Amino acid sequence: MATRGTLHLIMGNMFAGKTTELMNRIDIMRKHGRKHVLVLKPTIDTRSGRCQLKNFHGRVMPAIEVPADNARRIFDAVNYEIKEDELPDIIAIDEIQFFSQKSRIYLVVDRLLELGYDVICAGLRLDFRGEPFGSTLSLIGLCDGMHNVTLLHSYCALCGKPAHLPQRLIDGLPAHYSADQVQVGGKESYQARCHTCHELPGKPEVDISEE
Ligand SMILES: [Zn+2]
């Protein structure tokens, strides 16, 4: 039976360099580790063009697309590589937050680790409401320790302090709390903001008074 693989999770805010960090690590694994890295992404992200990762410097890297609502299709991509005699050592997945919890991404990554693959994922930690996005945070449950978690922040578009929240803007104004969680966009519809500058009209008050 294969030795269980390890998961490395890169997570953080928009404009924090998650894809760049993932690409850098893939480069090192390929060039210096001579590893065969299979690069995957969910189909929902159309920003970066089909079948490629793209960072903010415009660098692209070929990737295989997997439906965001069915993470089990990741096994099809892995099995195809095996058939081609290109046995992957490492599975890299970008934009992991777009795999819904219903897609069973947690169980799929767990199974890949069980089969002996090392897995490296990058994704948004929080959505525009400041709430957990998809299964990104839950994947910490599959990491061996916090040394396998990289948390990246950006800088606030308004005050310049470290920023952990994506600010969604619609025609330049903050999006309402009730807006859909997923709205793919770039600089025209999102900013990085700190907790002080983040604006979220309609955010429900949490009642912390005693019963
Ligand atoms: Zn700020």
Side-chain angles (χ1 to χ4, degrees), residues 25-179:
R25 287 178 186 239
I26 292 169
D27 283 343
I28 291 167
M29 290 185 286
R30 282 176 172 166
K31 285 178 190 157
H32 302 290
R34 296 191 198 88
K35 305 290 184 201
H36 179 58
V37 185
L38 178 65
V39 184
L40 305 170
K41 63 176 256 194
T43 39
I44 194 168
D45 181 20
T46 53
R47 272 177 311 174
S48 50
R50 292 191 71 78
C51 299
Q52 63 186 23
L53 309 188
K54 189 175 184 186
N55 71 2
F56 280 105
H57 310 295
R59 186 184 166 197
V60 296
M61 181 181 276
I64 294 169
E65 293 194 5
V66 176
D69 59 357
N70 189 356
R72 277 168 292 185
R73 295 281 294 279
I74 288 172
F75 293 123
D76 297 342
V78 173
N79 288 334
Y80 183 79
E81 294 282 303
I82 292 171
K83 206 169 63 194
E84 297 281 296
D85 217 15
E86 291 270 337
L87 198 66
D89 304 295
I90 295 154
I91 317 290
I93 312 171
D94 197 19
E95 303 283 9
I96 194 85
Q97 77 279 356
F98 288 136
F99 287 105
S100 66
Q101 293 189 355
K102 221 173 69 189
S103 81
R104 312 184 82 189
I105 185 69
Y106 186 94
L107 296 176
V108 169
V109 173
D110 188 34
R111 181 67 183 142
L112 290 170
L113 296 171
E114 199 172 76
L115 291 168
Y117 296 109
D118 288 329
V119 181
I120 182 165
C121 297
L124 262 178
R125 180 173 63 131
L126 303 172
D127 66 10
F128 79 100
R129 304 184 192 103
E131 296 174 0
F133 203 145
S135 295
T136 309
L137 273 165
S138 74
L139 289 172
I140 289 179
L142 298 173
C143 289
D144 295 334
M146 291 311 279
H147 58 280
N148 282 334
V149 178
T150 301
L151 180 57
L152 299 174
H153 66 77
S154 187
Y155 290 91
C156 180
L158 300 189
C159 76
K161 289 190 180 132
H164 292 283
L165 298 171
Q167 174 71 56
R168 185 187 294 169
L169 299 168
I170 299 171
D171 297 328
L173 294 171
H176 193 270
Y177 181 89
S178 62

Side-chain angles (χ1 to χ4, degrees), residues 156-162 193-198:
C156 180
L158 300 189
C159 76
K161 289 190 180 132
R193 289 207 190 167
C194 72
H195 280 81
T196 307
C197 298
H198 188 255

